[in-house]
Amino acid sequence: MRLDRIGVDESVAAVFPPGRLVDRLGDATDESGVDVTAVDGSPEGMADCDAVVTLEHHEAYLDLSWVHSIQAGVDRFPRDRLREAGVALTNSTGIHGDAVGETVAGFVLALARRIHEYAASQTANEWNRPDWDEAWTVAGERACVIGLGGLGRGIVGRLTGLGLDVDGVRRDPLPEPGVDRVYPTGDLREAVGDARFVVLAVPLTDATRGLVGRDELAAMDDDAYLINVARGGVVDQSALVAALRDDEIAGAALDVFETEPLPADSPLWDFEDVIVSPHCAAYTRDYYRHVATVLEESVRRVGDGEDPVNRVV
Ligand code: NDP
């Protein structure tokens, strides 16, 4: 792969200012001679780039050699068409474990310690104490983390640190440090059965679309919470709304949704024990630095005639 010029697409502005990454990569690639520039996403801006770093796909990218997604998920890219066009696609898997792990720990603590309720009361200047039996502590409770990759491992580390016991689910049930029992995906209903928190951390694929539906929600305890930091499509959202309405589960913390932004008339906004966050579980002001680290290694490898890191196509 020839690599003279890398563009940073304006769509990354949803996560960090493009100029930050351009400056950071510019410094790092001085030695390699690769030029890094911000582009506006138009075909003209892209024409003299070999590669682009982006949040979103544009048709013009089918003419490049390499597209790098600043996210771990690549569900928004047309993988088959990129493959046919001979374009390499890489992702940023591996950089999100700390940020998402801390967000999930925050959800767990908020739900148990009722912090989301105090925040809601504060907006109304109301001094509302919880009932005597509402607040609880998480040490000794069990979580089930579905997906034990970069995200899942970050989550497991934070939850075991809080004193929870953790089970896990993945396709090949190999043991994982900090995880008591690893179940294969086929045993998902059994795995979620005695968890107080079920945490989703899998990619959205044909195999995981609708992975958590009516039966899986029914298999959860009625005092259990679903935490989704994966992708909205991993959960059957109407089945989730029904389970919440019928008190089949206690609540949820949701960072991702079938439709984003979550429409204003979605019932998910209105449940007392549902925390809604706007797909920002991985946000951190260091995000661009982490992306730059992945890209620097890729530029080095491409210079040595190897594949860039995290190649998915
Ligand atoms: P990884 O590729 O590192 O890990 C994915 C994990 O999911 C692996 O353990 C893999 O299992 C498991 N998995 C894949 N398919 C299945 C399946 N059918 N059943 C059970 N387990 C499965 O990815 P990341 O951890 O970095 O990211 C995971 C996803 O999280 C991303 O694709 C993205 O959609 C989402 N994400 C969301 C963010 C947010 O802001 N909310 C931020 C970052 C990521 P195995 O070990 O068997 O291969």
Side-chain angles (χ1 to χ4, degrees), residues 72-75 93-94 96 100 146-152 169-172 185 201-205 207-208 211 229-231 255-256 279-282:
V74 286
D75 41 283
T93 286
H96 305 103
V100 177
I146 301 171
L148 294 170
L151 229 63
V169 175
R170 67 175 164 207
R171 288 170 295 189
D172 191 356
T185 319
V202 285
L204 179 61
T205 63
T208 62
L211 186 68
V229 288
R231 284 290 182 268
D255 186 53
V256 287
H279 198 154
C280 58

Side-chain angles (χ1 to χ4, degrees), residues 9-10 39-47 58 60-61:
D9 184 277
E10 63 180 358
V39 291
D40 64 7
S42 66
E44 298 77 45
M46 220 58 67
H58 294 289
Y61 295 166

Side-chain angles (χ1 to χ4, degrees), residues 193-217:
D194 60 351
R196 196 76 194 264
F197 296 99
V198 173
V199 188
L200 300 176
V202 285
L204 179 61
T205 63
D206 289 345
T208 62
R209 190 174 292 283
L211 186 68
V212 174
R214 200 175 50 181
D215 294 342
E216 290 69 30
L217 292 160

Side-chain angles (χ1 to χ4, degrees), residues 75 100-101 103-105 107-108 111 144-147 151-152 155 159 196-205 208-213 217 220 224-238 240 244 249 251-260 262 268 273-282:
D75 41 283
V100 177
T103 302
V104 170
F107 288 149
V108 163
L111 290 164
C144 179
V145 179
I146 301 171
L151 229 63
I155 294 164
L159 297 189
R196 196 76 194 264
F197 296 99
V198 173
V199 188
L200 300 176
V202 285
L204 179 61
T205 63
T208 62
R209 190 174 292 283
L211 186 68
V212 174
L217 292 160
M220 288 170 60
Y225 296 84
L226 181 72
I227 298 179
N228 189 4
V229 288
R231 284 290 182 268
V234 175
V235 177
D236 176 343
Q237 202 166 285
S238 43
L240 174 61
L244 289 162
I249 63 171
L254 306 168
D255 186 53
V256 287
F257 302 89
E258 275 175 0
T259 303
E260 295 180 9
L262 183 63
L268 289 171
D273 269 342
V274 173
I275 298 174
V276 168
S277 62
H279 198 154
C280 58

Side-chain angles (χ1 to χ4, degrees), residues 103-237:
T103 302
V104 170
F107 288 149
V108 163
L109 290 174
L111 290 164
R113 305 302 309 146
R114 317 309 295 161
I115 293 164
H116 61 303
E117 288 201 329
Y118 310 145
S121 295
Q122 188 177 352
T123 62
N125 292 16
E126 281 176 8
W127 183 267
N128 289 329
R129 285 195 168 131
D131 288 342
W132 72 273
D133 59 351
E134 261 187 78
W136 44 287
T137 56
V138 297
E141 295 286 349
R142 185 165 290 282
C144 179
V145 179
I146 301 171
L148 294 170
L151 229 63
R153 284 193 291 271
I155 294 164
V156 169
R158 291 336 183 273
L159 297 189
T160 52
L162 291 173
L164 284 100
D165 300 316
V166 180
D167 290 334
V169 175
R170 67 175 164 207
R171 288 170 295 189
D172 191 356
L174 294 168
E176 180 68 34
V179 180
D180 296 338
R181 296 170 291 191
V182 180
Y183 294 85
T185 319
D187 293 346
L188 183 64
R189 288 179 208 160
E190 184 189 342
V192 301
D194 60 351
R196 196 76 194 264
F197 296 99
V198 173
V199 188
L200 300 176
V202 285
L204 179 61
T205 63
D206 289 345
T208 62
R209 190 174 292 283
L211 186 68
V212 174
R214 200 175 50 181
D215 294 342
E216 290 69 30
L217 292 160
M220 288 170 60
D221 268 355
D222 57 7
D223 67 354
Y225 296 84
L226 181 72
I227 298 179
N228 189 4
V229 288
R231 284 290 182 268
V234 175
V235 177
D236 176 343
Q237 202 166 285

